[in-house]
Amino acid sequence: MSLLAALAKARTEEDVKDAYIAALGLKGVFKGLVDIQTSEIWFEAKEAPTPPLLMFAQLLVYVRAARKRGEAVPGFLCVIDREKAALMVTDHALPILEDKSIEWPKSGSKADLALAAKIAPTIETHYVVYEIASHEKEFINATRSAIAEGRIIRTPITPDNLRQVF
């Protein structure tokens, strides 16, 4: 079953998570405060369509907390919902975590539009959004390649995906 079909059948956030886990063939998965964790990539998941920047804000609260505890953070961050996914290299977000002018909430669920607006200038240009209905294959390939290669391999630019790539 395709990711798009599995997401169409999803009824809960857990179903959305399971659809992505299956489609990406993720191994060593842990579900906890961070919705989906592997050693290579962390995911923030939402059942309803949610702006990627807001989901990244929440995910970065967890990354920041893990770093403060001295825990390892993955090389990649991804946010997902039933319509889209966005992928980013973690290193692009690390400078924002040290910004003393940002007041970070104590929990990821408290991340709001105000926090998203503060982190936007730093991270908004570093993630790639994939609409699952039109770019499912590209998302799966990019994510699998990122995990395998340790870097995001960009989608070749074609007339069909020009708008999505830029």
Side-chain angles (χ1 to χ4, degrees):
M1 176 184 319
S2 73
L3 175 57
L4 185 62
L7 290 172
K9 290 183 177 186
R11 300 217 186 288
T12 66
E13 186 176 296
E14 286 303 313
D15 295 341
V16 170
K17 293 178 201 177
D18 292 340
Y20 278 95
I21 290 168
L24 295 170
L26 296 175
K27 305 287 186 224
V29 172
F30 176 76
K31 293 181 187 177
L33 199 53
V34 174
D35 288 326
I36 303 170
Q37 285 181 273
T38 72
S39 58
E40 303 89 4
I41 189 167
W42 286 3
F43 294 82
E44 177 60 34
K46 300 292 182 199
E47 187 276 328
T50 306
L53 190 56
L54 188 57
M55 290 189 282
F56 274 120
Q58 184 172 350
L59 189 54
L60 288 174
V61 171
Y62 301 132
V63 170
R64 184 173 179 271
R67 285 184 50 134
K68 285 182 88 172
R69 292 188 303 265
E71 297 172 5
V73 294
F76 302 97
L77 303 173
C78 190
V79 296
I80 55 177
D81 65 27
R82 65 174 54 249
E83 294 180 355
K84 68 194 159 309
L87 184 63
M88 180 174 64
V89 176
T90 305
D91 284 347
H92 293 305
L94 295 181
I96 197 78
L97 301 179
E98 305 304 323
D99 187 336
K100 302 292 184 203
S101 69
I102 296 176
E103 191 172 318
W104 291 91
K106 296 215 185 294
S107 79
S109 61
K110 301 285 188 208
D112 58 11
L113 292 175
L115 176 60
K118 287 179 184 174
I119 67 170
T122 303
I123 70 162
E124 206 162 33
T125 59
H126 294 295
Y127 61 82
V128 179
V129 178
Y130 298 88
E131 297 294 329
I132 300 303
S134 58
H135 294 89
E136 173 182 341
K137 183 178 176 184
E138 291 86 352
F139 167 70
I140 292 171
N141 289 340
T143 304
R144 286 180 179 170
S145 294
I147 291 169
E149 305 281 330
R151 62 188 175 100
I152 296 175
I153 299 171
R154 299 286 185 204
T155 304
I157 300 170
T158 66
D160 293 335
N161 71 3
L162 184 64
R163 187 169 180 77
Q164 185 257 342
V165 170
F166 290 103

